[in-house]
Amino acid sequence: QVQLQESGPGLVKPSGTLSLTCAVSGGSISSSYWWTWVRQPPGKGLEWIGEIYHSGFTNYNPSLKSRITISVDKSKNQFSLKLSSVTAADTAVYYCARDASGTYFLGYWGQGTLVTVSS
Amino acid sequence: DIVMTQSPDSLAVSLGERATINCKSSQSVLYSSNNLNYLAWYQQKPGRPPKLLIYWASTRESGVPDRFSGSGSGTDFTLTISSLQAEDVAVYYCQQYYSTPRTFGQGTKLEIK
């Protein structure tokens, strides 16, 4: 059973870069799945950030595209999110997730990590 | 972007009664080549990540109780809980995975009446 665990700073300064990692256990990051980031501002709904295939092919949300980078580190069996030029609007719980069977719907989720943007 | 609109925003139902949540997409999420609707439903309880309930609009995820069912095609979809249990109190989201960005509905909060 694959498990996902997010990690990274819980506090980022405005205009800085948010960097999160999702460690994958119970499965290989090199398997044919989509690895995804989703975020949820406090008390609000879910926002799809972007996804990366094991080959490195990415899809990003156009609303964030100029600021985000998602990458895979096969040597560490993990994938990462970088979001630059953050503002208070980027404060959210960030989830990493994996599709259930190579077809985009998200069957496996991390527990989520709260990132607050504040000086 | 495909906009997903759920209704209602909140819903209170008595234990044992039926709960129905609707989801409408701004364009069809039915892929004609395989006749599949690229629509999923998730359940999220407080402080927890979302949990996949339904995919392909009507296929129940393994382990999900059969009181949960999904229906619909094209642009109009429904999640039905046939007999509400206390543990079903949660926020429910639909998501289209037909195209990127893979957008979610705004969520429907389900409570006990």
Side-chain angles (χ1 to χ4, degrees):
Chain A
Q1 175 86 347
V2 67
Q3 292 185 315
L4 308 173
Q5 180 65 59
E6 306 89 350
S7 62
L11 182 64
V12 180
K13 287 183 167 42
S15 78
T17 297
L18 179 158
S19 295
L20 295 174
T21 296
C22 181
V24 178
S25 58
S28 173
I29 195 79
S30 298
S31 301
S32 300
Y33 296 110
W34 288 94
W35 306 91
T36 299
W37 289 97
V38 173
R39 71 180 182 178
Q40 185 171 37
K44 296 188 178 180
L46 302 168
E47 180 181 25
W48 185 87
I49 298 172
E51 64 192 7
I52 186 166
Y53 199 53
H54 69 98
S55 61
F57 183 81
T58 54
N59 289 308
Y60 295 149
N61 192 323
S63 68
L64 301 168
K65 188 173 184 177
S66 63
R67 299 195 289 132
I68 60 175
T69 302
I70 298 175
S71 59
V72 165
D73 186 338
K74 294 182 179 180
S75 68
K76 295 183 178 179
N77 212 41
Q78 63 186 32
F79 64 109
S80 300
L81 168 69
K82 291 188 186 299
L83 178 65
S84 63
S85 303
V86 296
T87 70
D90 295 308
T91 293
V93 174
Y94 286 76
Y95 294 101
C96 60
R98 197 207 82 181
D99 73 74
S101 60
T103 49
Y104 311 123
F105 49 89
L106 302 171
Y108 300 93
W109 294 71
Q111 291 304 302
T113 187
L114 175 62
V115 179
T116 301
V117 178
S118 174
S119 56
Chain B
D1 298 5
I2 298 177
V3 177
M4 307 300 291
T5 304
Q6 293 181 226
S7 61
D9 289 334
S10 63
L11 180 63
V13 174
S14 300
L15 290 173
E17 295 300 305
R18 179 184 299 260
T20 301
I21 298 170
N22 300 301
C23 175
K24 187 175 184 67
S25 57
S26 61
Q27 63 189 73
S28 176
V29 298
L30 174 62
Y31 194 39
S32 56
S33 65
N34 58 16
N35 203 37
L36 289 172
N37 288 283
Y38 283 53
L39 189 285
W41 289 96
Y42 301 87
Q43 175 194 64
Q44 186 180 32
K45 296 182 178 181
R48 302 288 297 163
K51 173 188 174 183
L52 178 66
L53 295 177
I54 303 281
Y55 55 93
W56 301 131
S58 60
T59 302
R60 201 179 303 113
E61 171 72 330
S62 176
V64 172
D66 61 7
R67 64 180 181 274
F68 291 91
S69 63
S71 62
S73 185
T75 60
D76 292 279
F77 301 91
T78 300
L79 174 70
T80 301
I81 307 172
S82 60
S83 177
L84 189 71
Q85 304 299 303
E87 60 265 32
D88 300 333
V89 169
V91 179
Y92 292 84
Y93 295 93
C94 60
Q95 183 203 22
Q96 64 80 19
Y97 48 97
Y98 182 89
S99 65
T100 59
R102 308 197 194 282
T103 42
F104 292 90
Q106 80 276 18
T108 295
K109 186 175 184 179
L110 177 59
E111 299 173 313
I112 304 293
K113 185 185 290 183

